[in-house]
Amino acid sequence: LVLSGCGSSSKSSSSASSTKSTSQSTVQQIKKRGTIRIAVFGDLPPYGWVNKQGQRVGYDLTLARQIAKDLKVKPKFVQVNANNRVDALNSNKVDLVLANFTVTPERKQVVDFASPYMKVSVGVVSPKSQPITKASQLQGKNLIVTKGTTAENYFTSKQPNVKLLKFDSKTQQFNALKNNRGVALADDNSYLYAWVKDQPKYTVGIKSIGPKQYIAPAVKKGNKSLLNWTNKEVTSLNNKGFFDKDYNSQLKPYFGKEVKPSDIVIK
Amino acid sequence: MAHSGINVLFEGRNLIRLFGGLWTTVEIAAVALVLGLILGVVLGVLRTFPSRLLRFVLRLYLEFFRIIPTVVLLFLFYYILPKQMGVNLPANQVATLVFALWTAAEMSDIVRGALISVPKHQRESGMAIGLSRWQLYRYVLIPQAVSLELPATINLVTRVIKTTSLLMLISVMDVINVGQQVVEANNQKYPTGVFWVYGIIFVMYFVIDYPLSWWAKRMDKKRLERANG
Amino acid sequence: MSSWQIIQQSLPLFEKGFVLTLWLSLIGIIGSIIVGLICSLLKYFQVPVLGKIAAIYVEISRNTPLLVQLFFLYYAFPVFGFKLNAEMCGIVGLIFLGGSYMAEGFNGGFDGVSKTQVETGKAIGLSRLQLARYVVFPQGFTLSVPALAANMIFLIKETSIFTVIAIPELTNTALDLIGMYYRSNEYLFMLVVGYAIILIPLSIILTILEKRVRYGSFGN
Amino acid sequence: MAKEIVKVEHLEKFYQKRHVLHDINFSVNEGEVVALLGPSGSGKSTLIRCLNGLEPYQQGEVTFNGEKIVPTEKNWQKIRQKIGMVFQSYDLFPNLTVLDNILLGPVKVQHQSKEAATASAEKLLDQVGLREYENAYPRQLSGGQKQRIAIVRALALNPELMLFDEVTASLDPEMVRGVLNIISNLAQDSNMTMIVVTHEMNFAQQIADRVLFLEDGKILEQTKGSQFFEQPQTDRAKAFLDSMDF
Amino acid sequence: MAKEIVKVEHLEKFYQKRHVLHDINFSVNEGEVVALLGPSGSGKSTLIRCLNGLEPYQQGEVTFNGEKIVPTEKNWQKIRQKIGMVFQSYDLFPNLTVLDNILLGPVKVQHQSKEAATASAEKLLDQVGLREYENAYPRQLSGGQKQRIAIVRALALNPELMLFDEVTASLDPEMVRGVLNIISNLAQDSNMTMIVVTHEMNFAQQIADRVLFLEDGKILEQTKGSQFFEQPQTDRAKAFLDSMDF
Ligand SMILES: Nc1ncnc2c1ncn2[C@@H]1O[C@H](COP(=O)(O)OP(=O)(O)OP(=O)(O)O)[C@@H](O)[C@H]1O
Ligand SMILES: Nc1ncnc2c1ncn2[C@@H]1O[C@H](COP(=O)(O)OP(=O)(O)OP(=O)(O)O)[C@@H](O)[C@H]1O
Ligand SMILES: [Mg+2]
Ligand SMILES: [Mg+2]
């Protein structure tokens, strides 16, 4: 009752009529609109973050800009946290998610993933002084994760004895690790590598745990038009060697020696 | 270490960006307050009308916004409403809307309280010279209620401004979200930067809210003095 | 899965979050009342240095958001070696915030005791302490009950902000489940219900209590 | 026979279950001054408030100027323009200047032109000796001055009947006289019809053409003014009069 | 010569910059009843409040029972036990019963035993005819009853001096008499020393041994009671007396 009252008092009336049709943003509609709205991270170097000049940069951002360019529209970035990537699509806040979004069976049910553009698996980072190298060392201990990540999902379902400390953002989780609020932190291994490069006191003790996984762009469930377009786009970018270039410019400077391009980029 | 940490603020455009974030915060708060206060006055007046049904509905509205934490309201409006109702607004507008509706709810209670505490004989002397209900509100009750309610209103304003800190949870690039970006981007270079970034945000909020609180307090004190003769 | 099943499955988690929210609120409220009362007394008796400190604390606490206070406690202080666990941070933060609100509530009550009452007390020779004990405090507490009640509800709602420091209370639980299973409608519904279960009865009880207390001391 | 301004027949008034006015019957003729006397709680205020619809009544009828009043809020609102009322509490609107207080009725309710209304307001202010305060706010006035302005505000509507409810009760003793003087001038010189509730017995004696003595919501006696104070008909009225001077 | 209970010399009082009492000099002897009269705002309340230290004064001296008072809060607190004061507003503590209101002073301040204090409190309650209300709360009493209890509460401390500040001003006319009767009994039978501010002239005339007439913070005249009301020495006092009855 109250909700309906609120809804009608907003400026909805004008947009409501067109909502049914725009609840999916087809490629046509995006082109007509002239902008594509893309969900990205704002605090996850080197994938999606904001540099000190205030510019959004990173591996995902370069891809996002390329996609916009190929669509001949302007990109509009919406910063999200891991746990609202799905809602951002479903509530039609964005057309596309390029926020380190790992493909999982659960997620496949609620959004449509395009062809993947990156490989990952879950890694665990811990202080060098007290390294965690096996999952068994985590039993009964606090492990830091971000809400809505595959790391959280993996430990919740497969390692129920690990106590999870769940944060909203990447900033918060890394700060928490530095404050020793948990014995280790689990997240996608690739940017754990990046992170430890600048944090000599920490090491990625478990390089990979759980299944190998892929990161892919996601669109709202049923948005066939954009999905197909994106699939083609990823293939064509791959053919052009875009992802290698992206890797070299955005990721390489952040990664240590232990990471090879083939660990990340899908050939 | 602590010395170098403060420099995080002067790296690149960090400080300017923080102020930019603050501006977003202030802008949302300001628009929401203007809309919310006006709507609140109207609802507050309606809540003093005799119609039981009207009063009940408005009371329900108030309690809804009172009981549900603002965090939850923001999520409801940002993610659920679009799916259920087909209403879709960008984050800043959702934030403005939520804060406006919330402000209106709280304001309606303040206004109602002030209206019913205008002495009864004021209402009656208005009626005795033949004023209609609308005239009674327009010339007698609302002007008097406004001065009664001003301190409470200012306090509401400070609360709204403080609560804008929750905007970071729905993709609004407010000062705290920018702060997190800054912290993350400069983490390795300035390990103590987190202290300074959150420190300056702390100060920013204080600098905005403190003068308002002070003003409200002073007015309350004056009124108390007047009441005590 | 149907909504009903989703809700049923998440029930144990919400129950945990619910209990934690209640528990943290309770400690926070009690702590806030104690801190608030102390600050208010320091002000009332115009205790030299401490009174000033209390006044400064009240201003700082009242004019900054809890979220920022928590970030400070949880993320910024440990940089300098001062570390509390999340629950402690939450409680300390909540009490830091609530203390000033409660102090203002008590102050308002004490200031609200009419001047004639104070003078009458003086006129029969009561000392400052006796005046406080027999006149100002009993009446002042009564006058401050509505403000204290409003503060309690306010503080309970503020615990929702604990989500940012990873305390698995109600809001955190809901946001977490949404992040994992994407059933926002169901989980937010549970969240609203969770708060309603705490706040609606409490607000009714407090309203009744207010009337009782008021009647007890003033008869209207 | 003189014109009947107001007539009350079989009026009954309850506050919830409490019966506060019992079968009230009386009328007031044009130019007549009626004093309504009686102990505290006898129902004087309630009765006077029923006469301009500030209190609803449960039975009986009020006739104003020959017309039976159908007691709806709309009707009362019209009739109130013809009935001036002044209360015990200084009831000026604190948010308006003295002049604006006075003009509110004539300009907003009766839609007189602002100029005309101001001119007559200033004449009235002159009469009560407060012309110089027209731009002051009520808080800058003493209690006696406020009450005089309140009377002017009521008069500005050119009422056919004035109701006064203990208008001097919360005034300083020295201020009482100024206010009473104005009312008695009004009674004598302007020949205004009025109903006056007061506990200033000397004053009542001086101005009242007739006295209604109320107790427990009943009219115990209706006597000519001069007679009531010398030889009240009931013992209760006698006791009442005795108690009023120390 | 009779014993001087209180003596005021060259008292000057300011509210911020406002000079409200000018060079006040007078004394009150044991058993004497002094009426403090004067128009509103003349400083009566202020003066009486200076006498038990509720208002600080800027210059001059107050001597109580032969002892010069060094005006610190501590000293005043002791002296207040010997001075009873009753205000205009019914100032009972709403959170205490009638008896507890009365006992607060004797038991907590003067450390009398509860039994003894209760016994004398009940005697006093009998005298004012309110013994049956000892366990009632103030809200259950009428205004007149409350004022009588307030007087009892002041008397319970066995004061050497009583101060009354317009104690009947907010009472219903019919209730005034009961309260005034008690005060006049106190003056006549108990030979209590008192200073009374009132605007009930008949009452003042009846009880006052001496009248202090105040205007604009100055004592305009000090006259014997009987004389003041018949032939006041100053024109101002004459005008004042005239204004007091219509
Ligand atoms: N709003 C009300 N609700 C219930 N009872 C009321 C209300 N107003 C007045 N009464 C009661 O109605 C009776 C008449 O009251 P009213 O005020 O008319 O008396 P009054 O003669 O004007 O007394 P006073 O001289 O004290 O003004 C009293 O018993 C009073 O308690
Ligand atoms: N707290 C105060 N601050 C400033 N001025 C005051 C204060 N209290 C009283 N006054 C002023 O001091 C003067 C004396 O006031 P006081 O109350 O003593 O008069 P009063 O003779 O008792 O009058 P009343 O008969 O109305 O009670 C007045 O001009 C009054 O306005
Ligand atoms: Mg009355
Ligand atoms: Mg006085």
Side-chain angles (χ1 to χ4, degrees):
Chain A
L1 177 85
V2 178
L3 286 182
S4 69
C6 303
S8 58
S9 70
S10 75
K11 299 197 296 185
S12 64
S13 45
S14 55
S15 64
S17 52
S18 58
T19 305
K20 282 280 165 312
S21 51
T22 55
S23 61
Q24 298 176 5
S25 295
T26 61
V27 174
Q28 254 181 351
Q29 280 162 334
I30 289 168
K31 282 187 168 160
K32 209 168 112 204
R33 203 194 300 142
T35 51
I36 180 165
R37 299 165 306 166
I38 305 175
V40 295
F41 279 142
D43 55 357
L44 183 66
Y47 296 98
W49 57 296
V50 181
N51 70 14
K52 62 190 175 193
Q53 305 309 331
Q55 291 149 347
R56 292 191 180 280
V57 291
Y59 186 76
D60 286 342
L61 269 293
T62 312
L63 173 61
R65 291 206 174 86
Q66 185 64 41
I67 285 176
K69 201 171 140 202
D70 294 339
L71 266 173
K72 301 194 182 61
V73 294
K74 279 206 271 251
K76 181 166 181 297
F77 297 117
V78 175
Q79 182 171 322
V80 293
N81 286 326
N83 63 340
N84 33 52
R85 285 175 295 195
V86 173
D87 275 326
L89 274 180
N90 283 341
S91 61
N92 199 24
K93 295 290 183 244
V94 298
D95 307 316
L96 187 66
V97 172
L98 289 175
N100 226 270
F101 208 9
T102 310
V103 182
T104 65
E106 296 87 3
R107 288 175 182 166
K108 273 184 180 165
Q109 293 177 1
V110 287
V111 301
D112 283 340
F113 284 103
S115 312
Y117 61 93
M118 222 161 89
K119 291 186 259 190
V120 281
S121 58
V122 173
V124 176
V125 67
S126 49
K128 276 187 178 151
S129 52
Q130 285 163 309
I132 301 288
T133 52
K134 294 190 300 276
S136 58
Q137 284 172 286
L138 288 169
Q139 305 303 315
K141 302 267 171 50
N142 280 332
L143 176 68
I144 294 166
V145 296
T146 295
K147 285 178 206 157
T149 56
T150 36
E152 181 193 15
N153 239 324
Y154 169 75
F155 279 98
T156 307
S157 52
K158 302 282 155 47
Q159 308 267 357
N161 291 327
V162 179
K163 288 194 213 149
L164 298 182
L165 278 184
K166 302 166 178 180
F167 291 86
D168 290 303
S169 73
K170 301 290 176 192
T171 317
Q172 289 167 16
Q173 73 164 0
F174 285 122
N175 269 321
L177 179 65
K178 291 214 266 175
N179 297 342
N180 294 324
R181 300 212 178 263
V183 294
L185 180 153
D187 211 328
D188 289 358
N189 57 5
S190 61
Y191 51 78
L192 294 184
Y193 291 140
W195 191 72
V196 292
K197 193 179 170 220
D198 290 309
Q199 305 287 340
K201 288 191 203 139
Y202 293 87
T203 174
V204 184
I206 301 177
K207 295 203 177 350
S208 170
I209 191 167
K212 269 263 173 222
Q213 288 177 309
Y214 296 98
I215 285 175
V219 300
K220 189 170 178 188
K221 192 125 194 94
N223 188 355
K224 286 277 172 315
S225 153
L226 187 58
L227 182 68
N228 292 338
W229 186 91
T230 312
N231 279 334
K232 273 184 232 150
E233 171 79 358
V234 170
T235 314
S236 108
L237 288 177
N238 223 336
N239 293 339
K240 284 189 223 153
F242 168 84
F243 291 107
D244 288 321
K245 258 190 279 166
D246 198 2
Y247 177 86
N248 286 328
S249 72
Q250 298 296 329
L251 301 186
K252 202 172 170 198
Y254 288 87
F255 287 169
K257 288 181 288 296
E258 60 261 61
V259 188
K260 297 181 288 294
S262 59
D263 291 341
I264 305 285
V265 178
I266 295 175
K267 276 284 172 252
Chain B
M1 255 202 3
H3 283 298
S4 62
I6 195 170
N7 289 324
V8 69
L9 301 176
F10 307 110
E11 276 284 332
R13 293 170 34 88
N14 285 352
L15 196 59
I16 295 174
R17 285 170 53 212
L18 283 171
F19 274 105
L22 185 66
W23 177 243
T24 306
T25 301
V26 169
E27 214 178 6
I28 289 173
V31 176
L33 281 168
V34 170
L35 296 177
L37 294 179
I38 294 172
L39 180 62
V41 171
V42 174
L43 297 184
V45 168
L46 291 179
R47 285 188 62 201
T48 62
F49 279 18
S51 160
R52 270 167 183 271
L53 179 69
L54 186 66
R55 285 202 321 236
F56 178 75
V57 169
L58 291 175
R59 179 72 196 265
L60 222 56
Y61 168 76
L62 168 72
E63 293 301 338
F64 177 81
F65 279 90
R66 273 243 173 106
I67 280 182
I68 299 183
T70 321
V71 184
V72 182
L73 285 177
L74 286 170
F75 274 94
L76 278 178
F77 277 71
Y78 192 61
Y79 293 121
I80 304 295
L81 219 53
K83 274 191 283 188
Q84 301 300 320
M85 325 270 316
V87 183
N88 200 1
L89 300 169
N92 285 26
Q93 286 178 32
V94 171
T96 311
L97 178 69
V98 169
F99 278 98
L101 290 176
W102 173 53
T103 306
E106 296 281 356
M107 186 64 183
S108 77
D109 212 37
I110 294 174
V111 170
R112 177 183 155 272
L115 284 175
I116 60 177
S117 59
V118 172
K120 187 166 158 245
H121 59 79
Q122 285 286 326
R123 176 186 284 267
E124 291 187 340
S125 7
M127 285 163 73
I129 58 173
L131 295 179
S132 66
R133 185 152 83 174
W134 156 244
Q135 288 174 324
L136 198 60
Y137 277 97
R138 162 76 183 76
Y139 298 108
V140 179
L141 300 178
I142 292 178
Q144 292 186 44
V146 163
S147 70
L148 279 175
E149 83 201 4
L150 201 52
T153 307
I154 299 169
N155 280 330
L156 176 62
V157 168
T158 63
R159 241 172 80 208
V160 170
I161 292 174
K162 282 196 300 180
T163 313
T164 54
S165 59
L166 303 179
L167 290 175
M168 59 163 267
L169 292 170
I170 59 157
S171 301
V172 172
M173 287 301 112
D174 77 321
V175 65
I176 297 179
N177 235 332
V178 173
Q180 291 205 350
Q181 291 172 353
V182 171
V183 167
E184 198 45 51
N186 300 276
N187 220 333
Q188 60 281 15
K189 193 161 169 201
Y190 299 105
T192 58
V194 58
F195 179 85
W196 296 102
V197 171
Y198 289 143
I200 194 166
I201 294 173
F202 197 93
V203 171
M204 282 170 166
Y205 272 105
F206 185 78
V207 166
I208 296 177
D209 264 1
Y210 178 69
L212 288 170
S213 307
W214 179 84
W215 184 32
K217 229 180 209 173
R218 207 180 65 138
M219 267 190 308
D220 249 348
K221 207 162 141 195
K222 274 198 179 155
R223 194 172 58 207
L224 210 64
E225 274 166 12
R226 245 181 284 141
N228 263 330
Chain C
M1 260 194 293
S2 77
S3 296
W4 180 236
Q5 283 170 315
I6 296 282
I7 287 174
Q8 263 186 334
Q9 277 183 4
S10 67
L11 220 51
L13 279 175
F14 272 106
E15 217 176 281
K16 263 194 199 156
F18 181 86
V19 170
L20 192 57
T21 292
L22 260 187
W23 187 232
L24 293 173
S25 303
L26 187 70
I27 298 174
I29 287 171
I30 293 172
S32 300
I33 289 179
I34 294 170
V35 170
L37 190 57
I38 291 171
C39 289
S40 180
L41 291 179
L42 290 175
K43 184 184 170 205
Y44 180 82
F45 289 110
Q46 297 170 355
V47 178
V49 181
L50 290 176
K52 258 262 136 23
I53 293 176
I56 292 172
Y57 149 69
V58 166
E59 291 307 333
I60 291 179
S61 143
R62 269 175 58 84
N63 290 302
T64 48
L66 178 61
L67 182 88
V68 181
Q69 293 168 3
L70 288 178
F71 272 10
F72 233 82
L73 269 173
Y74 194 73
Y75 297 118
F77 276 17
V79 172
F80 299 106
F82 177 78
K83 197 183 114 187
L84 297 170
N85 69 29
E87 271 82 3
M88 277 310 285
C89 279
I91 289 169
V92 170
L94 198 62
I95 293 175
F96 180 81
L97 179 82
S100 66
Y101 275 79
M102 294 294 181
E104 296 279 280
F106 284 120
N107 287 344
F110 297 161
D111 291 346
V113 175
S114 81
K115 212 175 129 200
T116 7
Q117 286 286 315
V118 174
E119 291 190 338
T120 310
K122 283 187 183 171
I124 60 173
L126 296 178
S127 67
R128 217 155 74 128
L129 229 77
Q130 287 175 324
L131 195 63
R133 161 85 178 74
Y134 297 107
V135 181
V136 178
F137 291 170
Q139 295 183 37
F141 283 131
T142 307
L143 292 174
S144 58
V145 167
L148 301 186
N151 288 345
M152 285 182 200
I153 291 179
F154 167 69
L155 289 178
I156 293 173
K157 281 170 59 180
E158 290 287 282
T159 59
S160 61
I161 297 174
F162 289 173
T163 181
V164 300
I165 54 170
I167 296 177
E169 43 67 72
L170 272 175
T171 304
N172 191 294
T173 305
L175 297 188
D176 178 33
L177 286 170
I178 291 172
M180 281 200 289
Y181 306 116
Y182 323 111
R183 302 293 293 247
S184 313
N185 293 13
E186 289 83 357
Y187 297 135
L188 284 177
F189 171 76
M190 289 297 288
L191 180 56
V192 170
V193 168
Y195 282 110
I197 291 176
I198 301 176
L199 291 172
I200 293 176
L202 182 71
S203 120
I204 293 171
I205 292 170
L206 288 175
T207 315
I208 295 170
L209 190 78
E210 261 167 48
K211 283 193 185 133
R212 279 271 167 89
V213 172
R214 193 166 168 87
Y215 186 80
S217 345
F218 296 103
N220 55 40
Chain D
M1 209 184 100
K3 186 176 151 203
E4 252 179 26
I5 294 283
V6 74
K7 182 168 169 189
V8 177
E9 288 165 296
H10 305 298
L11 191 96
E12 305 273 349
K13 159 82 189 168
F14 295 79
Y15 282 118
Q16 281 91 44
K17 291 225 172 95
R18 191 156 173 199
H19 201 165
V20 291
L21 291 178
H22 300 256
D23 192 26
I24 301 289
N25 293 283
F26 71 93
S27 60
V28 181
N29 288 336
E30 191 166 20
E32 203 182 8
V33 176
V34 172
L36 200 55
L37 307 180
S40 177
S42 57
K44 307 181 293 294
S45 299
T46 307
L47 176 52
I48 214 174
R49 289 156 54 83
C50 285
L51 295 185
N52 72 347
L54 286 180
E55 291 289 349
Y57 43 86
Q58 281 67 38
Q59 268 181 48
E61 243 155 26
V62 179
T63 310
F64 186 75
N65 240 336
E67 230 177 292
K68 284 208 168 148
I69 296 172
V70 181
T72 64
E73 186 56 29
K74 265 245 135 60
N75 284 337
W76 277 122
Q77 196 186 308
K78 266 186 225 124
I79 285 160
R80 282 186 199 127
Q81 301 174 29
K82 301 184 191 147
I83 301 181
M85 179 156 185
V86 185
F87 302 82
Q88 166 176 347
S89 43
Y90 324 130
D91 52 359
L92 298 181
F93 305 126
N95 51 314
L96 301 177
T97 62
V98 164
L99 192 60
D100 287 340
N101 261 282
I102 300 172
L103 293 184
L104 196 54
V107 175
K108 300 293 170 187
V109 179
Q110 299 185 328
H111 305 292
Q112 296 180 23
S113 81
K114 187 147 185 181
E115 291 70 38
T118 307
S120 25
E122 287 178 342
K123 223 165 80 189
L124 286 166
L125 281 172
D126 267 333
Q127 280 171 28
V128 300
L130 292 173
R131 172 74 183 275
E132 57 190 309
Y133 290 98
E134 67 176 36
N135 292 315
Y137 278 89
R139 61 175 173 276
Q140 296 164 296
L141 306 182
S142 75
Q145 291 170 328
K146 280 187 234 177
Q147 278 305 43
R148 280 185 272 166
I149 301 291
I151 294 172
V152 167
R153 185 176 60 183
L155 291 175
L157 285 163
N158 249 315
E160 297 175 37
L161 170 67
M162 284 286 287
L163 308 174
F164 293 98
D165 191 2
E166 311 209 30
V167 289
T168 60
S170 39
L171 294 184
D172 279 321
E174 278 202 312
M175 311 232 156
V176 170
R177 176 172 276 187
V179 174
L180 294 185
N181 272 335
I182 287 170
I183 299 177
S184 68
N185 287 345
L186 216 55
Q188 269 128 34
D189 308 348
S190 325
N191 205 30
M192 176 69 81
T193 316
M194 48 175 108
I195 302 177
V196 182
V197 176
T198 182
H199 55 250
E200 303 277 339
M201 288 304 134
N202 294 329
F203 167 67
Q205 183 161 19
Q206 196 185 43
I207 63 159
D209 297 321
R210 190 147 47 97
V211 171
L212 292 187
F213 182 72
L214 230 65
E215 184 172 68
D216 283 341
K218 300 187 193 83
I219 296 186
L220 278 200
E221 64 175 282
Q222 287 208 38
T223 320
K224 269 184 67 183
S226 47
Q227 198 189 331
F228 179 85
F229 293 96
E230 269 124 51
Q231 358 160 294
Q233 295 168 329
T234 56
D235 288 348
R236 185 60 189 95
K238 201 186 215 115
F240 173 77
L241 283 176
D242 284 347
S243 82
M244 293 312 275
D245 43 25
F246 188 77
Chain E
M1 210 184 102
K3 187 175 149 203
E4 251 178 27
I5 294 283
V6 73
K7 183 171 170 186
V8 177
E9 289 165 295
H10 304 298
L11 190 97
E12 305 273 350
K13 159 83 187 168
F14 294 79
Y15 282 118
Q16 281 91 46
K17 289 223 174 96
R18 190 155 173 198
H19 200 164
V20 290
L21 291 178
H22 299 256
D23 192 26
I24 301 289
N25 293 284
F26 72 93
S27 60
V28 181
N29 288 335
E30 190 166 19
E32 201 182 10
V33 175
V34 173
L36 200 55
L37 306 180
S40 176
S42 57
K44 307 181 294 294
S45 298
T46 306
L47 176 52
I48 214 174
R49 288 156 54 82
C50 285
L51 294 185
N52 71 348
L54 286 179
E55 291 289 349
Y57 42 86
Q58 280 67 39
Q59 266 180 48
E61 240 153 28
V62 178
T63 311
F64 187 75
N65 240 336
E67 231 178 292
K68 283 205 169 149
I69 296 171
V70 182
T72 64
E73 187 57 28
K74 264 244 135 60
N75 284 336
W76 277 121
Q77 195 187 307
K78 266 186 224 123
I79 286 160
R80 283 186 199 129
Q81 301 174 29
K82 300 181 191 152
I83 302 181
M85 179 158 185
V86 184
F87 302 82
Q88 166 177 346
S89 45
Y90 326 130
D91 51 1
L92 298 181
F93 303 123
N95 50 318
L96 301 177
T97 63
V98 164
L99 192 60
D100 287 341
N101 260 283
I102 300 172
L103 293 184
L104 196 55
V107 175
K108 299 295 171 190
V109 178
Q110 298 184 331
H111 306 291
Q112 296 180 25
S113 81
K114 186 146 185 183
E115 293 68 38
T118 307
S120 25
E122 289 178 339
K123 222 165 84 191
L124 286 166
L125 281 172
D126 266 334
Q127 280 172 30
V128 300
L130 293 172
R131 172 74 182 275
E132 56 190 309
Y133 291 97
E134 66 178 35
N135 292 316
Y137 279 89
R139 60 175 172 272
Q140 298 164 297
L141 305 182
S142 75
Q145 291 170 328
K146 280 188 233 176
Q147 277 304 43
R148 281 184 272 166
I149 302 291
I151 294 172
V152 166
R153 185 176 57 183
L155 289 175
L157 284 164
N158 248 315
E160 297 175 36
L161 170 66
M162 284 287 286
L163 308 175
F164 292 99
D165 190 1
E166 311 208 30
V167 289
T168 60
S170 39
L171 294 183
D172 278 324
E174 282 200 308
M175 309 230 156
V176 170
R177 178 172 274 186
V179 174
L180 294 185
N181 273 335
I182 287 169
I183 298 177
S184 72
N185 286 345
L186 215 56
Q188 268 128 34
D189 307 347
S190 325
N191 205 30
M192 176 70 79
T193 316
M194 48 175 107
I195 302 178
V196 182
V197 176
T198 182
H199 55 250
E200 302 279 339
M201 288 304 134
N202 294 329
F203 167 67
Q205 183 160 19
Q206 196 184 43
I207 63 158
D209 297 320
R210 191 145 47 97
V211 171
L212 292 188
F213 182 72
L214 229 65
E215 184 172 69
D216 282 342
K218 298 187 195 85
I219 296 186
L220 278 200
E221 65 174 282
Q222 287 208 35
T223 321
K224 269 184 68 184
S226 48
Q227 197 190 333
F228 179 85
F229 293 95
E230 270 123 50
Q231 0 159 290
Q233 295 168 330
T234 56
D235 288 348
R236 185 58 189 96
K238 197 187 215 112
F240 173 77
L241 282 176
D242 285 348
S243 80
M244 295 309 275
D245 42 27
F246 190 79

